[in-house]
Amino acid sequence: MKDPLYKRIELWFRRMLIKMLGTIVHRRKSTALPSKAENGKYLFIRQDRIGDVLVSTPLFRLLKLRFPNATIDVLLSKNNEFVLANNPHIRKRWIYTKKVGDTLRLIHALRKEHYDYAIDLIDNPSATSTIACLLSGARTTIGLDKENSYAYDISVPLPSRKETHIVERLAQLLTPFGISPGPDELIIEYFPSNDSRNFANQFLGNAKLKDKKLIGINISAGGNVRFWGVENFKKLIRYLENNYPAYQNLLLYNSDYSEKALEIGAHFSSVTLSPITHTFDQFAALIEKVELLITPDTSAVHLAAAFSIPSVVLYVQSNPNLRIWEPYRTPCEPVVTNVDDLTTITVEEVIKAVDHLFKRTSKLIS
């Protein structure tokens, strides 16, 4: 399925802007280790989506472990700023909007901070992050080596997008600071608030689920091509009910999927519908309570990694040159279709993945 025409035009203009900036911008290039790293002020740029922020959290943790006196701020957007609301490593969250007046005020505020380093966390060329690097006023700009590398003083080699997990690709951005973490040091983090954890506990208590083992089934998706289908979910739940009777199935969804959730959950004694969550934090606090998660490829995948929850993940992967963003270093059974339509994944494929995950994950064996 092709992107809409307006989206393709927007992407074309962004590519042209990146090329145009490349003809007029000339940053100093360096391979030397940055100075003042121990007490430096760091601005990370991550203005895209929720999952992109979650996979970036290992960098904040490692930088603070190595340099406890460092100041870490992050430039985000309205779409994802809440992900870091409770992250103890972050001092300030800057929020980028597309409004001209807000953007001018933001640039002015960033420049007043006198950052030592601006680090672009996006591993494909972004006009927004390019401009943010250039206008941030940071002494040193750092990013992965790609088409907009002219915006960086230090360009870090970009590992293969096909062979290397996104978490490990991003971790390369720490190498200029003498930090070369192994996989066991790269830990995705998310910190639900106490209020959201109380929300989840109260719901489970009222639903008499506190002492139950839960399989979370997330039906919400990032668009129609990622909704698996009402009948598919029904068939899967019927199988889970018959073959894993010790588990209660918690149907997770947002308000856009309320009617579908009611249709799927009706007539199943093993299914409890989650409450409508009003924040991402409440959604995360519910996921934290499950022992296994079944989900389409959304931010829930990386919450599973943050909470060490085994997962079965349904992926749309139409570009074979890109690696799927499986939950990092967490037991996972990916089920992948190579067309932009999740309904092409069969119920039998998902059932096979569930069974395999139960077998390889001892804590789930009844």
Side-chain angles (χ1 to χ4, degrees):
M1 183 182 297
K2 288 186 177 181
D3 290 329
L5 178 60
Y6 76 88
K7 187 67 176 178
R8 298 202 300 273
I9 293 173
E10 180 183 358
L11 291 173
W12 181 85
F13 273 111
R14 288 181 180 180
R15 287 194 296 269
M16 292 302 103
L17 177 59
I18 289 171
K19 288 183 178 180
M20 182 188 72
L21 287 171
T23 64
I24 60 177
V25 172
H26 301 283
R27 297 285 296 192
R28 56 187 172 84
K29 295 298 179 181
S30 174
T31 57
L33 292 180
S35 59
K36 296 186 178 180
E38 293 86 352
N39 302 298
K41 291 183 71 174
Y42 295 78
L43 175 67
F44 286 90
I45 299 166
R46 184 91 260 191
Q47 82 289 346
D48 35 13
R49 292 166 293 189
I50 294 172
D52 300 276
V53 179
L54 287 169
V55 298
S56 302
T57 57
L59 280 71
F60 311 143
R61 172 183 172 275
L62 283 169
L63 192 63
K64 264 298 191 181
L65 281 175
R66 178 64 65 90
F67 305 134
N69 295 323
T71 298
I72 301 177
D73 295 346
V74 188
L75 176 60
L76 301 155
S77 71
K78 286 185 175 180
N79 296 327
N80 64 17
E81 55 87 15
F82 44 80
V83 177
L84 299 179
N86 304 307
N87 190 300
H89 312 307
I90 307 303
R91 182 194 68 158
K92 184 175 180 62
R93 293 169 294 143
W94 299 99
I95 302 175
Y96 164 74
T97 70
K98 295 183 179 180
K99 297 178 181 178
V100 174
D102 290 346
T103 300
L104 292 175
R105 285 187 287 272
L106 174 64
I107 291 169
H108 179 68
L110 291 175
R111 295 181 72 85
K112 286 178 64 177
E113 290 286 344
H114 301 292
Y115 286 106
D116 295 298
Y117 316 106
I119 303 173
D120 185 359
L121 288 169
I122 300 179
D123 76 336
N124 51 46
S126 159
T128 302
S129 64
T130 301
I131 294 170
C133 278
L134 295 173
L135 299 183
S136 66
R139 291 175 57 249
T140 302
T141 57
I142 301 171
L144 294 165
D145 189 13
K146 51 191 186 296
E147 288 91 329
N148 62 331
S149 292
Y150 56 80
Y152 312 137
D153 299 307
I154 299 176
S155 295
V156 179
L158 173 62
S160 167
R161 290 193 179 100
K162 183 176 183 179
E163 304 297 332
T164 309
H165 194 283
I166 179 60
V167 170
E168 294 176 2
R169 295 203 300 270
L170 294 177
Q172 297 304 302
L173 289 165
L174 295 178
T175 57
F177 304 99
I179 304 173
S180 299
D184 58 333
E185 298 176 274
L186 295 169
I187 299 171
I188 293 177
E189 295 182 309
Y190 184 81
F191 302 90
S193 67
N194 289 334
D195 285 346
S196 292
R197 281 179 166 146
N198 290 337
F199 164 85
N201 286 329
Q202 184 176 3
F203 163 73
L204 294 178
N206 292 340
K208 296 182 172 53
L209 294 176
K210 268 199 170 179
D211 299 322
K212 300 286 187 180
K213 294 184 290 185
L214 300 176
I215 296 175
I217 304 173
N218 176 36
I219 68 169
S220 301
N224 289 334
V225 298
R226 288 187 177 177
F227 179 63
W228 192 38
V230 169
E231 292 305 316
N232 286 335
F233 279 114
K234 284 183 178 180
K235 290 175 184 177
L236 173 63
I237 291 169
R238 190 169 295 113
Y239 179 84
L240 295 173
E241 196 171 66
N242 292 333
N243 290 272
Y244 299 99
Y247 290 82
Q248 188 74 8
N249 298 296
L250 179 62
L251 209 62
L252 299 157
Y253 59 98
N254 61 35
S255 57
D256 293 338
Y257 289 79
S258 296
E259 291 185 8
K260 291 182 173 66
L262 288 170
E263 187 177 357
I264 292 167
H267 312 302
F268 287 108
S269 61
S270 68
V271 172
T272 300
L273 270 61
S274 73
I276 296 294
T277 54
H278 300 288
T279 65
F280 178 77
D281 200 53
Q282 290 180 340
F283 177 68
L286 287 171
I287 286 183
E288 190 179 24
K289 297 296 183 180
V290 308
E291 294 189 56
L292 180 146
L293 180 68
I294 301 170
T295 181
D297 177 21
T298 68
S299 53
V301 172
H302 308 299
L303 287 174
F307 300 140
S308 300
I309 297 169
S311 58
V312 172
V313 188
L314 284 61
Y315 288 98
V316 167
Q317 182 70 353
S318 55
N319 186 344
N321 295 316
L322 298 177
R323 177 170 173 159
I324 57 173
W325 283 25
E326 74 270 24
Y328 189 63
R329 298 186 67 247
T330 304
C332 171
E333 289 291 325
V335 188
V336 184
T337 176
N338 60 5
V339 297
D340 289 330
D341 182 358
L342 212 61
T343 61
T344 57
I345 293 176
T346 67
V347 176
E348 290 72 24
E349 288 177 286
V350 178
I351 286 172
K352 183 178 178 181
V354 170
D355 288 343
H356 193 226
L357 191 60
F358 266 88
K359 288 177 182 177
R360 61 184 274 234
T361 311
S362 58
K363 80 169 186 176
L364 293 175
I365 297 176
S366 304

